[in-house]
């Protein structure tokens, strides 16, 4: 039986919201990996990117998530930062030891949710590239990787409906 549920997907796909509801229903702990990174660095994600660069962030992200995957014994729902599943080592452990779920969301919804956020350094418009194009380009690279998750849930529905869909998929596994 697997007791870790890992929510995977793009920024704005609803991992934190779904994670919150799902963990409550299942009475599992909720772990938000970005929050843990912020706590460990005592800085916001955008500040970490600005002051130390993406490579530093990715190293920190790998270390913190591996630690959770190896050492957390209590059942938990893990809301994973949008880029973490691209890391091969993390991907291997997540696919082996957890129930992984990709929250597959439309470009339009991601755009709507992220356009007001200034906390997502990878979505800053630059070099004339607008937000929709940035999201589209990231998704093109990431979709084939996200799709390796054990389950895919179309996540453009209401959060409670998305959670119910997830629960029907995982009911025999937890
Ligand atoms: C990132 C997603 C962010 C955060 C960082 C990088 C990404 O997390 O980890 O800004 O590469 O997609 P959310 O998916 O929770 O926004």
């Amino acid at each position: 039986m697997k007791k870790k549920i890992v929510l995977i997907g793009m920024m704005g796909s609803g991992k934190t919201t779904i994670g919150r509801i799902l963990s409550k229903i299942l009475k599992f702990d909720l772990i938000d990996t970005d929050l843990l990174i912020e706590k460990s660095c005592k800085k916001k994600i955008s500040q970490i990117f600005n002051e130390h660069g993406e490579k530093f962030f990715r190293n920190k992200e790998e270390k913190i998530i591996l630690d959770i995957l190896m050492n957390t014994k209590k059942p938990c729902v893990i809301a994973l930062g949008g880029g973490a599943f691209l890391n091969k080592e993390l991907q291997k452990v997540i696919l082996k030891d957890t129930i992984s779920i990709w929250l597959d969301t439309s470009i339009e919804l991601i755009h709507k949710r992220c356009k007001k956020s200034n906390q997502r350094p990878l979505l800053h418009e630059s070099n004339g590239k607008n937000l929709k194009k940035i999201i589209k380009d990231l998704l093109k690279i990431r979709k084939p990787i996200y799709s390796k998750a054990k389950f895919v849930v179309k996540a453009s529905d209401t959060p409670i409906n998305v959670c119910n869909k997830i629960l029907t998929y995982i009911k025999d596994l937890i």
Side-chain angles (χ1 to χ4, degrees):
M1 240 178 237
K2 290 182 172 169
K3 292 285 187 190
K4 286 190 185 80
I5 298 166
V6 177
L7 302 178
I8 290 163
M10 270 290 278
M11 295 163 264
S13 59
K15 297 173 300 251
T16 305
T17 308
I18 302 295
R20 215 175 278 140
I21 302 172
L22 204 57
S23 61
K24 248 191 207 141
I25 297 174
L26 293 169
K27 300 193 172 60
F28 280 18
D29 284 350
L30 173 65
I31 297 177
D32 184 316
T33 64
D34 281 347
L35 278 184
L36 290 185
I37 296 168
E38 290 187 336
K39 267 193 200 147
S40 155
C41 297
K42 299 189 180 65
K43 288 173 186 173
K44 300 299 270 180
I45 299 287
S46 54
Q47 206 183 346
I48 301 171
F49 268 74
N50 277 342
E51 292 177 10
H52 306 282
E54 181 171 355
K55 195 161 188 287
F56 174 92
F57 171 81
R58 295 298 175 198
N59 286 336
K60 198 88 194 163
E61 182 177 56
E62 179 183 274
K63 217 164 146 244
I64 286 177
I65 298 173
L66 272 181
D67 182 52
I68 298 162
L69 294 171
M70 302 298 186
N71 300 318
T72 304
K73 301 289 176 244
K74 279 168 82 182
C76 58
V77 176
I78 302 173
L80 207 70
F85 194 64
L86 277 69
N87 175 305
K88 291 253 167 64
E89 185 60 26
L90 294 177
Q91 209 183 95
K92 200 171 78 190
V93 183
I94 289 168
L95 293 178
K96 184 165 73 68
D97 294 341
T98 78
I99 301 170
S100 48
I101 300 164
W102 170 29
L103 302 183
D104 183 11
T105 321
S106 67
I107 294 179
E108 283 66 32
L109 194 54
I110 294 170
H111 180 259
K112 192 171 149 205
R113 287 178 180 161
C114 292
K115 69 182 173 202
K116 289 199 187 87
S117 162
N118 57 2
Q119 281 305 316
R120 291 187 163 109
L122 293 185
L123 298 184
H124 287 165
E125 297 187 353
S126 62
N127 302 329
K129 221 180 179 190
N130 71 21
L131 183 57
K132 247 204 186 133
K133 170 84 175 129
I134 296 173
I135 295 169
K136 208 172 156 195
D137 289 350
L138 277 175
L139 265 177
K140 198 169 165 205
I141 297 167
R142 291 181 174 193
K143 267 194 167 182
I145 301 170
Y146 290 153
S147 68
K148 293 181 186 174
K150 184 162 179 66
F151 296 107
V152 181
V153 176
K154 290 275 172 212
S156 300
D157 206 341
T158 60
I160 192 67
N161 285 348
V162 174
C163 285
N164 284 333
K165 251 190 270 177
I166 293 175
L167 288 168
T168 57
Y169 286 151
I170 66 173
K171 67 179 186 314
D172 297 328
L173 298 172
I174 52 170

